[in-house]
Amino acid sequence: MLLTLSDIHLGLPGSAGIVSILHGVSMALPEGKSVAIVGPSGSGKTSLLMICAGLLKPTSGQILFEGQDVTQYDEDAYSVLRRDRIGVVFQNFHLIPTMTALENVAIPMELAGVEDAQDRATQGLADVGLSHRLTHYPSQLSGGEQQRVAIARALAMKPKLILADEPTGNLDQETGQSIMALLFERVRAQGATLALITHDPALAAACDEQVHIRDGRVVAS
């Protein structure tokens, strides 16, 4: 397994004390497969994905990445793991508004010291059909184009794991279908594992596996 979560609990501080979000969640993401995480709003799906990305630390439980226990990694160690091995595609794109499409894709590689970052970013944008948008800023791009830039950025370091949080949530149906076809194609081309949150039954059905979350618990997989 590429990523294994065992008995994950998550509690976050709220106005009335600690709010329990996840209750003993266990989940495994196989190498080279696509997994849909589905369930009603507020069930803990995004929190689970953020734990997979190392952006949230579980209250208890174990996380194995490629067989290595990363549960106790501090933020610096997880940042390196995320930079080199994990790509994240957000629903709201999270592009840097003052950077061009090319700069947005190149920046994770430049931070990692990749010498040909600009060339690889140019190719990455070509792979998602945006060779004509290299010097455009996010505000000059459509929602679908911004999500394509975000996908190119997430794939820039050729990560083993791609995490996508409702990647079509802010797109119309036609654009969303095009984006997901692109994401599936690029993930397959790189031999990566894809875990995505979606409310779209058709999109979930297109994945190799489904994990159903309700009230912070896995209820089916």
Side-chain angles (χ1 to χ4, degrees), residues 95-100 104 136-143 145-146:
L95 301 178
I96 300 172
T98 57
M99 290 187 171
T100 64
N104 266 283
H136 288 68
Y137 291 90
S139 62
Q140 299 172 311
L141 303 173
S142 69
E145 287 172 333
Q146 289 184 64

Side-chain angles (χ1 to χ4, degrees), residues 54-95:
L55 295 169
L56 271 180
K57 192 174 182 64
T59 305
S60 63
Q62 185 184 53
I63 306 169
L64 299 179
F65 190 91
E66 295 184 313
Q68 181 174 355
D69 191 339
V70 300
T71 313
Q72 300 305 322
Y73 272 22
D74 61 18
E75 178 53 36
D76 289 342
Y78 230 120
S79 292
V80 173
L81 177 65
R82 193 164 50 243
R83 181 194 71 191
D84 295 342
R85 310 293 281 168
I86 302 172
V88 184
V89 181
F90 296 98
Q91 178 179 344
N92 294 319
F93 320 134
H94 284 202
L95 301 178

Side-chain angles (χ1 to χ4, degrees), residues 195-208:
L196 64 91
I197 292 173
T198 182
H199 285 102
D200 183 347
L203 178 53
C207 293
D208 298 310

